[in-house]
Every structure is written in structure tokens, then in C-alpha cells.
Amino acid sequence: MEFRSQAFERASDERTDYLREALLRLLPGRAAAIYVEFGDEVPETIIDAASRLGADAIAMGTHGRTGFAAALLGSVAYSVLKHATKPVLVVRDPHRAFEA
């Protein structure tokens, strides 16, 4: 049985690995700090973390859903764009654009 703290640690490691791979693929030769945080309200967690870390901007990925799928599922990227006081760069990963 995995304890909650172990599950968060494993999930954080998996997400960090994914982000590191995406960074290498999408922005070869660039450096970036990677922070993984968890929260109940994802857009608020992103905006709060950026503020707390003193970030100049927020860069985030999106699945690229449009139309009905975006309306049905909501959009974290849209909410961050709408509420953030810092510049937001949203990048659609073409390899993940239509994953469920």
C-alpha cells in the first residue's frame, strides 16, 4: 500500500521527468527551472506558485482541445490566462494534441 506522501512524491517525479523531456524536445538548448506542485484548484495553484517563486512569466502546455471538448472539460490554460497578472505563454504539444 502506498501512503499519500509516497504517491505525491512518485507523481511529482513522473511529472518532472515528463516536463524535462518536453523541454528538451520543444526547446532544445534552453534552460528552465521545473517546479511541480499539487493543489485542489489547478489554475490558482499555478498562479500562486508563480507569484511565490517570483517568476517573470508562466509557461504552460495545453492539450489543444477545442470546441465541445474544451467546453465540456474546461480549460486550465484559459483560466490561467484570464486570471494571471504575469505574462503567460501557452504551448500546444503537437504529440499530445488529441489525447483523452
Side-chain angles (χ1 to χ4, degrees):
M1 173 180 278
E2 187 173 51
F3 291 104
R4 183 181 173 140
S5 62
Q6 292 169 318
F8 279 131
E9 184 175 337
R10 182 179 48 77
S12 178
D13 290 345
E14 289 170 358
R15 283 157 180 80
T16 299
D17 290 344
Y18 167 77
L19 291 169
R20 195 170 281 125
E21 290 172 19
L23 178 65
L24 290 171
R25 186 177 67 249
L26 298 171
L27 299 170
R30 303 284 185 171
I34 297 172
Y35 296 93
V36 175
E37 297 202 21
F38 296 92
D40 293 330
E41 298 296 328
V42 176
E44 291 172 9
T45 301
I46 292 168
I47 292 167
D48 291 347
S51 179
R52 190 175 62 259
L53 294 167
D56 297 321
I58 299 170
M60 58 187 302
T62 182
H63 291 289
R65 293 183 183 101
T66 60
F68 182 71
L72 179 66
L73 299 171
S75 172
V76 171
Y78 176 76
S79 187
V80 172
L81 282 166
K82 184 176 176 181
H83 298 289
T85 58
K86 301 176 181 298
V88 179
L89 171 65
V90 179
V91 179
R92 182 180 67 86
D93 182 346
H95 301 350
R96 294 180 57 125
F98 298 104
E99 287 183 8

